[in-house]
Amino acid sequence: MPIVDSGSVAPLSAAEKTKIRSAWAPVYSNYETTGVDILVKFFTSTPAAQEFFPKFKGLTTADQLKKSADVRWHAERIINAVNDAVVSMDDTEKMSMKLGDLSGKHAKSFQVDPQYFKVLAAVIADTVAAGDAGFEKLMSMICILLRSAY
Ligand code: HEM
Protein backbone atom coordinates (compact mmCIF):
# COMPACT_ATOMS: atom_id res chain seq x y z
CA MET A 1 0.00 0.00 0.00
CA PRO A 2 1.50 3.37 -0.91
CA ILE A 3 1.93 6.04 1.75
CA VAL A 4 -0.48 8.94 1.25
CA ASP A 5 -0.27 12.51 2.53
CA SER A 6 -3.81 13.72 1.90
CA GLY A 7 -7.36 12.64 2.59
CA SER A 8 -7.82 10.24 5.47
CA VAL A 9 -6.86 6.70 6.35
CA ALA A 10 -8.89 4.09 8.21
CA PRO A 11 -8.15 3.85 11.94
CA LEU A 12 -5.49 1.33 12.95
CA SER A 13 -6.89 -1.99 14.13
CA ALA A 14 -5.75 -3.56 17.40
CA ALA A 15 -3.83 -6.20 15.42
CA GLU A 16 -2.09 -3.54 13.31
CA LYS A 17 -1.07 -1.63 16.45
CA THR A 18 0.38 -4.77 18.02
CA LYS A 19 2.43 -5.46 14.90
CA ILE A 20 3.62 -1.85 14.73
CA ARG A 21 4.71 -1.89 18.39
CA SER A 22 6.72 -5.07 17.93
CA ALA A 23 8.39 -3.86 14.73
CA TRP A 24 9.16 -0.48 16.28
CA ALA A 25 10.61 -1.67 19.62
CA PRO A 26 13.95 -3.04 18.29
CA VAL A 27 14.34 -0.02 16.00
CA TYR A 28 13.76 2.43 18.80
CA SER A 29 16.10 0.65 21.20
CA ASN A 30 18.80 1.07 18.54
CA TYR A 31 17.63 4.49 17.37
CA GLU A 32 21.03 6.11 16.97
CA THR A 33 22.14 3.68 14.28
CA THR A 34 18.77 3.22 12.62
CA GLY A 35 18.00 6.94 12.63
CA VAL A 36 21.27 7.81 10.89
CA ASP A 37 20.81 4.95 8.38
CA ILE A 38 17.35 6.31 7.53
CA LEU A 39 18.58 9.89 7.03
CA VAL A 40 21.58 8.79 4.96
CA LYS A 41 19.30 6.69 2.73
CA PHE A 42 16.90 9.63 2.39
CA PHE A 43 19.53 12.22 1.48
CA THR A 44 21.51 9.99 -0.88
CA SER A 45 18.37 8.94 -2.76
CA THR A 46 16.76 12.43 -2.68
CA PRO A 47 19.56 15.04 -2.68
CA ALA A 48 17.05 17.85 -3.39
CA ALA A 49 15.59 17.33 0.10
CA GLN A 50 18.98 17.93 1.70
CA GLU A 51 18.93 21.49 0.31
CA PHE A 52 16.40 22.40 3.01
CA PHE A 53 19.00 21.78 5.71
CA PRO A 54 21.58 24.57 5.84
CA LYS A 55 23.45 22.58 8.50
CA PHE A 56 24.09 19.70 6.13
CA LYS A 57 25.59 21.77 3.34
CA GLY A 58 28.83 20.30 2.06
CA LEU A 59 28.05 16.79 3.29
CA THR A 60 27.91 15.09 -0.08
CA THR A 61 28.82 11.47 0.56
CA ALA A 62 27.14 8.80 2.67
CA ASP A 63 30.32 8.59 4.72
CA GLN A 64 30.38 12.33 5.48
CA LEU A 65 26.70 12.23 6.42
CA LYS A 66 27.22 9.23 8.70
CA LYS A 67 30.04 10.92 10.57
CA SER A 68 28.25 14.23 11.12
CA ALA A 69 27.17 15.03 14.66
CA ASP A 70 24.45 17.33 13.24
CA VAL A 71 23.01 14.45 11.20
CA ARG A 72 23.06 12.21 14.28
CA TRP A 73 21.23 14.81 16.36
CA HIS A 74 18.64 15.39 13.66
CA ALA A 75 18.10 11.65 13.20
CA GLU A 76 17.44 11.39 16.93
CA ARG A 77 14.77 14.09 16.77
CA ILE A 78 12.99 12.48 13.82
CA ILE A 79 13.02 9.04 15.42
CA ASN A 80 11.64 10.52 18.64
CA ALA A 81 8.84 12.25 16.73
CA VAL A 82 7.89 8.90 15.15
CA ASN A 83 8.15 7.28 18.58
CA ASP A 84 5.73 9.90 19.96
CA ALA A 85 3.28 8.86 17.23
CA VAL A 86 3.72 5.14 18.00
CA VAL A 87 3.20 5.81 21.71
CA SER A 88 0.05 7.84 21.04
CA MET A 89 -1.65 5.43 18.63
CA ASP A 90 -4.44 5.02 21.20
CA ASP A 91 -4.78 8.77 21.68
CA THR A 92 -5.12 10.23 18.20
CA GLU A 93 -5.96 13.67 19.60
CA LYS A 94 -2.54 13.83 21.24
CA MET A 95 -0.93 12.56 18.03
CA SER A 96 -2.70 15.30 16.04
CA MET A 97 -1.63 18.01 18.47
CA LYS A 98 2.06 17.07 18.49
CA LEU A 99 2.28 16.57 14.73
CA GLY A 100 0.19 19.67 14.11
CA ASP A 101 2.78 21.73 16.03
CA LEU A 102 5.57 20.08 14.09
CA SER A 103 3.75 20.82 10.84
CA GLY A 104 3.60 24.51 11.76
CA LYS A 105 7.37 24.56 12.29
CA HIS A 106 8.06 22.81 8.98
CA ALA A 107 5.70 25.14 7.11
CA LYS A 108 6.66 28.45 8.73
CA SER A 109 10.12 28.22 10.24
CA PHE A 110 11.87 25.58 8.15
CA GLN A 111 9.84 26.25 4.96
CA VAL A 112 10.20 22.71 3.73
CA ASP A 113 8.53 21.48 0.54
CA PRO A 114 5.87 19.10 1.92
CA GLN A 115 6.12 16.71 -1.05
CA TYR A 116 9.16 15.19 0.68
CA PHE A 117 7.33 14.00 3.82
CA LYS A 118 6.02 10.98 1.92
CA VAL A 119 9.47 10.23 0.56
CA LEU A 120 11.10 10.18 4.00
CA ALA A 121 8.12 8.27 5.39
CA ALA A 122 8.64 5.56 2.77
CA VAL A 123 12.31 5.21 3.74
CA ILE A 124 11.27 4.89 7.40
CA ALA A 125 8.58 2.30 6.57
CA ASP A 126 10.98 0.27 4.42
CA THR A 127 13.60 0.26 7.16
CA VAL A 128 11.28 -0.51 10.06
CA ALA A 129 8.68 -2.89 8.63
CA ALA A 130 8.96 -3.33 4.86
CA GLY A 131 5.65 -4.27 3.31
CA ASP A 132 3.64 -3.96 6.54
CA ALA A 133 0.34 -2.27 5.67
CA GLY A 134 -0.30 -1.15 9.27
CA PHE A 135 3.04 0.62 9.58
CA GLU A 136 2.47 2.29 6.21
CA LYS A 137 -0.91 3.45 7.46
CA LEU A 138 0.72 5.00 10.54
CA MET A 139 3.26 6.76 8.30
CA SER A 140 0.37 8.05 6.14
CA MET A 141 -1.28 9.45 9.27
CA ILE A 142 2.00 11.18 10.17
CA CYS A 143 2.35 12.65 6.64
CA ILE A 144 -1.25 13.90 6.57
CA LEU A 145 -0.74 15.61 9.94
CA LEU A 146 2.65 17.04 8.92
CA ARG A 147 0.91 18.68 5.96
CA SER A 148 -1.90 20.10 8.09
CA ALA A 149 -0.33 23.58 8.54
CA TYR A 150 0.41 24.04 4.83
C1 HEM B 1 8.48 11.74 8.81
C2 HEM B 1 8.74 12.98 8.52
C3 HEM B 1 9.42 13.99 9.42
C4 HEM B 1 9.48 14.07 10.78
C5 HEM B 1 8.85 13.11 11.80
C6 HEM B 1 10.25 15.25 11.11
C7 HEM B 1 10.57 15.66 12.39
C8 HEM B 1 11.30 16.78 12.70
C9 HEM B 1 11.58 17.23 14.05
C10 HEM B 1 11.12 16.53 15.32
C11 HEM B 1 12.30 18.37 13.95
C12 HEM B 1 12.82 19.24 15.11
C13 HEM B 1 11.79 20.32 15.36
C14 HEM B 1 12.21 21.36 16.39
O1 HEM B 1 13.27 21.97 16.23
O2 HEM B 1 11.45 21.58 17.34
C15 HEM B 1 12.48 18.66 12.53
C16 HEM B 1 13.20 19.73 12.03
C17 HEM B 1 13.43 19.95 10.70
N1 HEM B 1 12.94 19.21 9.65
FE1 HEM B 1 11.74 17.58 9.78
N2 HEM B 1 10.65 15.86 9.94
C18 HEM B 1 10.17 15.13 8.89
C19 HEM B 1 10.36 15.36 7.56
C20 HEM B 1 11.15 16.37 7.05
C21 HEM B 1 11.49 16.53 5.64
C22 HEM B 1 11.00 15.59 4.54
C23 HEM B 1 12.28 17.62 5.54
C24 HEM B 1 12.94 18.25 4.33
C25 HEM B 1 12.80 17.89 3.09
C26 HEM B 1 12.44 18.16 6.89
C27 HEM B 1 13.17 19.28 7.21
C28 HEM B 1 13.41 19.75 8.47
C29 HEM B 1 14.26 20.92 8.77
C30 HEM B 1 14.98 21.79 7.75
C31 HEM B 1 14.28 21.03 10.18
C32 HEM B 1 15.06 22.06 11.00
C33 HEM B 1 16.46 21.53 11.20
C34 HEM B 1 17.32 22.40 12.08
O3 HEM B 1 17.16 22.36 13.32
O4 HEM B 1 18.15 23.11 11.53
N3 HEM B 1 11.74 17.37 7.77
N4 HEM B 1 11.87 17.68 11.80
Side-chain angles (χ1 to χ4, degrees):
M1 218 174 71
I3 292 167
V4 298
D5 59 5
S6 61
S8 59
V9 290
L12 290 163
S13 68
E16 284 174 329
K17 287 181 197 170
T18 304
K19 228 170 149 190
I20 290 170
R21 287 188 187 104
S22 59
W24 181 251
V27 171
Y28 192 56
S29 66
N30 197 20
Y31 69 88
E32 282 167 330
T33 312
T34 334
V36 170
D37 284 350
I38 286 168
L39 268 190
V40 171
K41 256 194 245 172
F42 177 53
F43 289 141
T44 50
S45 60
T46 319
Q50 197 179 325
E51 303 281 317
F52 290 99
F53 294 86
K55 285 182 191 164
F56 305 155
K57 250 200 179 102
L59 303 176
T60 50
T61 66
D63 202 45
Q64 285 171 331
L65 285 162
K66 264 186 206 154
K67 287 186 179 140
S68 155
D70 281 332
V71 169
R72 263 205 309 279
W73 166 228
H74 192 67
E76 186 172 329
R77 290 192 297 176
I78 290 189
I79 291 285
N80 274 302
V82 176
N83 188 59
D84 285 346
V86 172
V87 168
S88 52
M89 286 190 296
D90 288 329
D91 185 351
T92 46
E93 212 160 291
K94 191 166 162 194
M95 193 195 291
S96 302
M97 252 172 54
K98 284 213 163 190
L99 287 164
D101 276 359
L102 202 52
S103 176
K105 288 184 186 171
H106 282 79
K108 293 175 187 92
S109 310
F110 315 143
Q111 300 183 348
V112 165
D113 183 337
Q115 67 165 311
Y116 294 115
F117 293 143
K118 255 191 344 192
V119 183
L120 175 57
V123 176
I124 297 174
D126 262 2
T127 308
V128 176
D132 182 66
F135 198 84
E136 283 168 357
K137 216 198 263 185
L138 174 66
M139 291 314 299
S140 290
M141 290 173 174
I142 292 176
C143 289
I144 292 166
L145 291 166
L146 279 176
R147 279 196 88 126
S148 60
Y150 282 80

